[in-house]
Amino acid sequence: MERYNYLTLPPLEEFEKLVSCANYLIEENVKRQEIVDPKRIYQHEIYVKYVFHINSLLSIFNGTNIYINSKYVKYLDYPSIITLIRASLETFLTYYYIFIDPKNDDENIFRYNNWFIDGLNKRQKMEVGFDENLKKVQMSEKLNIEECIKIIKSTDAYKSLSQKEKDRIDKDKMFKRPGWSEIFRLTGVSEYWAKTFYSYFSSYAHSTSSCIIQLNTARTDKSSGKILMMCIHFSLIITSMFIDRYCKDFNVGERMENEKKESIEAWIWLGKNLSKPKI
């Protein structure tokens, strides 16, 4: 099948097929090998988080029932759809930035440890009150942060930083990574997807005025179907890219049906070559 023809296929059926494939790969990986290395565990769990998101998306794509005027009405929950797509995209980009983009092991260690302490730093700022167990957790995680800082400082990636960037790691225990749109471009997607979609998804997550206006219009405008199709196509592209990489990183998916392999290859190609959605 010509790759552009995948855009004419029923999008929900295509997405359901890829979600099923993504689910299966987790099961295959867990059955085949025990993951013991902490970094590999987190690498796997980032993929699992993504799979949770796309399973939820599949459910919402099929419509949500709400009780209005003494009856149930099915509607498309665009704010939740687009917010979930943004969350799933950021999950994939996190994986890409830490485990795919680094040029060598040194850079991977630097990025991984900076990512790891970023989460712990946020919990250090939580007010735990008089809960002694939570205080102990914070103290333990503070030691983990210090250990990660030592590892970060031992890398060539750290040594190549400017003094200002080193001071930020010393003082704030954090390294400013590139923005999501910039990381998205690194994946090789076409400029249309990279430039347009992250800001569009963010407008829904942050409840901007344009989001509220468009939400109101979508309930009556026939173009809302096109918006949904565009969202599903975008999710097909990102899901295909993530499945492809997860298979390579964890050596799974060898027995995947040729039809699914061809579909994944096609959507990756469309993500890298489609200049605008043909809908």
Side-chain angles (χ1 to χ4, degrees):
M1 182 188 297
E2 289 291 328
R3 286 168 172 169
Y4 278 118
N5 288 340
Y6 277 84
L7 295 168
T8 67
L9 297 176
L12 269 179
E13 290 182 18
E14 277 289 286
F15 190 61
E16 186 173 5
K17 181 169 63 179
L18 287 191
V19 170
S20 174
C21 179
N23 294 342
Y24 168 75
L25 291 173
I26 293 176
E27 182 182 358
E28 181 186 344
N29 194 12
V30 171
K31 284 183 178 179
R32 284 184 54 185
Q33 56 193 318
E34 181 182 4
I35 307 173
V36 293
D37 176 61
K39 188 165 67 171
R40 291 283 281 175
I41 291 173
Y42 280 108
Q43 184 176 1
H44 166 74
E45 290 298 328
I46 291 173
Y47 175 79
V48 172
K49 178 179 182 289
Y50 182 87
V51 173
F52 283 175
H53 286 322
I54 59 175
N55 275 275
S56 296
L57 270 172
L58 181 60
S59 176
I60 301 176
F61 278 149
N62 283 299
T64 303
N65 289 317
I66 58 172
Y67 195 70
I68 299 177
N69 296 330
S70 302
K71 64 179 180 180
Y72 282 100
V73 178
K74 178 172 280 192
Y75 78 108
L76 285 172
D77 182 4
Y78 284 107
S80 296
I81 287 171
I82 295 174
T83 301
L84 257 178
I85 292 176
R86 181 197 180 199
S88 63
L89 173 61
E90 289 182 1
T91 302
F92 169 65
L93 295 181
T94 297
Y95 188 101
Y96 188 91
Y97 181 70
I98 299 171
F99 299 108
I100 303 176
D101 186 59
K103 300 177 181 63
N104 50 49
D105 290 341
D106 181 88
E107 194 169 32
N108 167 248
I109 291 168
F110 175 81
R111 293 185 183 185
Y112 168 77
N113 281 278
N114 274 291
W115 167 78
F116 191 81
I117 64 174
D118 180 53
L120 298 184
N121 275 329
K122 288 180 172 61
R123 296 213 295 209
Q124 288 292 307
K125 297 174 183 178
M126 293 174 61
E127 180 56 56
V128 297
F130 297 101
D131 192 313
E132 293 301 322
N133 288 330
L134 290 178
K135 286 182 179 179
K136 289 178 182 178
V137 170
Q138 280 191 332
M139 287 298 296
S140 174
E141 290 184 345
K142 187 175 182 180
L143 295 175
N144 288 340
I145 291 171
E146 295 303 323
E147 186 61 34
C148 287
I149 292 293
K150 290 180 182 177
I151 295 173
I152 289 168
K153 288 186 174 181
S154 71
T155 63
D156 292 335
Y158 171 82
K159 294 170 185 175
S160 68
L161 296 176
S162 67
Q163 190 58 49
K164 183 179 179 180
E165 290 171 316
K166 290 179 181 177
D167 291 342
R168 185 172 187 179
I169 291 176
D170 291 339
K171 181 182 177 182
D172 301 327
K173 305 292 189 293
M174 67 177 296
F175 170 73
K176 187 176 181 181
R177 57 159 178 76
W180 292 120
S181 293
E182 186 176 345
I183 298 174
F184 196 19
R185 286 184 173 87
L186 296 175
T187 67
V189 295
S190 67
E191 185 63 16
Y192 175 81
W193 299 107
K195 184 177 181 180
T196 305
F197 278 84
Y198 187 75
S199 59
Y200 176 70
F201 297 150
S202 297
S203 71
Y204 272 79
H206 297 303
S207 299
T208 63
S209 60
S210 59
C211 147
I212 303 303
I213 292 169
Q214 190 167 27
L215 174 62
N216 182 61
T217 304
R219 290 201 293 268
T220 56
D221 192 341
K222 293 181 180 179
S223 66
S224 61
K226 291 185 177 181
I227 297 172
L228 177 64
M229 186 178 293
M230 194 166 56
C231 288
I232 299 174
H233 285 166
F234 184 88
S235 294
L236 281 163
I237 290 166
I238 303 305
T239 300
S240 295
M241 294 175 74
F242 210 160
I243 287 175
D244 179 66
R245 189 61 203 204
Y246 183 79
C247 287
K248 292 174 181 175
D249 289 344
F250 287 91
N251 194 29
V252 292
E254 295 95 337
R255 297 181 180 179
M256 189 188 305
E257 299 95 322
N258 286 333
E259 180 187 357
K260 290 182 179 178
K261 290 181 180 178
E262 290 171 2
S263 179
I264 289 167
E265 290 173 0
W267 286 108
I268 292 173
W269 186 90
L270 288 166
K272 294 182 177 180
N273 293 280
L274 195 65
S275 59
K276 62 180 180 178
K278 295 191 175 186
I279 57 175

